[in-house]
Amino acid sequence: MTWVVVVDSGGGNVGSVRYALERLGARSILSADPATIASADRVILPGVGAAAPAMARLRERGLIDPIRRLQQPLLGICLGMQLLYESSEEGEVECLGLLPGRITRLPSGPGVRVPHMGWNLLRQRAPRDRGDALLAGLGERDQAYFVHSYAAPVTQDTLASASYGIDFTAVAGRGNCYGAQFHPERSAAVGSRLLANFLALEG
């Protein structure tokens, strides 16, 4: 059985993430202990809210360097994915720097209201760093559930993108580090498949 540590970063989506993992047969615990996090088979960094307070919580709990040093597969969800990048326009904060790029606010306009809330189509891009394994079984018309106002640009680390006024990264991957801007725990079969694929990745 895969042992997953969900990082206790103060996010309100922790319970639903752990329940989604339980349905897939994984054992998970919530922890802010660096040694416990380092010993996990998989690590998930969830998050809701704003980047600056989230980074402050990680700093207060002494988790920034331990997360940066992880060798096992790491998945950031929603705000947790944004924290994987170098910096965020939201609060002008330095983030974890595991993925190159800067998080910026989604532009609003006619017919485009921010925050972006609801189901949106995932567009798969060229797989990198085992991205094909993370997205295995997902089709060209599959959709996921998003709730966010900020997003990562499309880069060489983008495994799937979505469009809301602009194209942005919906799924990212580099080395052992992955991110999902959408909420897998709220994305029905698509979200379950992505989580199952993450659990099955080679450590």
Side-chain angles (χ1 to χ4, degrees), residues 104-124:
T104 58
R105 184 173 175 82
L106 290 169
S108 59
V112 180
R113 307 175 83 180
V114 177
H116 170 213
M117 297 180 63
W119 294 86
N120 204 335
L121 188 70
L122 298 176
R123 177 190 171 197
Q124 294 193 38

Side-chain angles (χ1 to χ4, degrees), residues 3-8 29-43 61-67 69-72:
W3 180 40
V4 183
V5 169
V6 179
V7 177
D8 186 2
I29 64 169
L30 179 68
S31 179
D33 175 62
T36 301
I37 293 169
S39 66
D41 297 320
R42 303 284 183 276
V43 176
R61 297 174 183 185
L63 294 178
I64 291 179
D65 286 339
I67 291 174
R69 292 195 297 263
L70 290 174
Q71 298 298 310
Q72 62 270 63

Side-chain angles (χ1 to χ4, degrees), residues 94-165:
E94 178 184 346
C95 298
L96 293 167
L98 295 170
L99 296 174
R102 176 172 169 80
I103 302 299
T104 58
R105 184 173 175 82
L106 290 169
S108 59
V112 180
R113 307 175 83 180
V114 177
H116 170 213
M117 297 180 63
W119 294 86
N120 204 335
L121 188 70
L122 298 176
R123 177 190 171 197
Q124 294 193 38
R125 294 179 177 258
R128 296 178 181 273
D129 295 328
R130 301 194 306 277
D132 52 341
L134 187 67
L135 300 177
L138 299 185
E140 289 299 317
R141 303 304 300 173
D142 280 336
Q143 299 189 49
Y145 189 82
F146 294 83
V147 182
H148 63 120
S149 299
Y150 291 79
V154 174
T155 69
Q156 64 179 2
D157 300 315
T158 301
L159 304 179
S161 64
S163 181
Y164 190 73

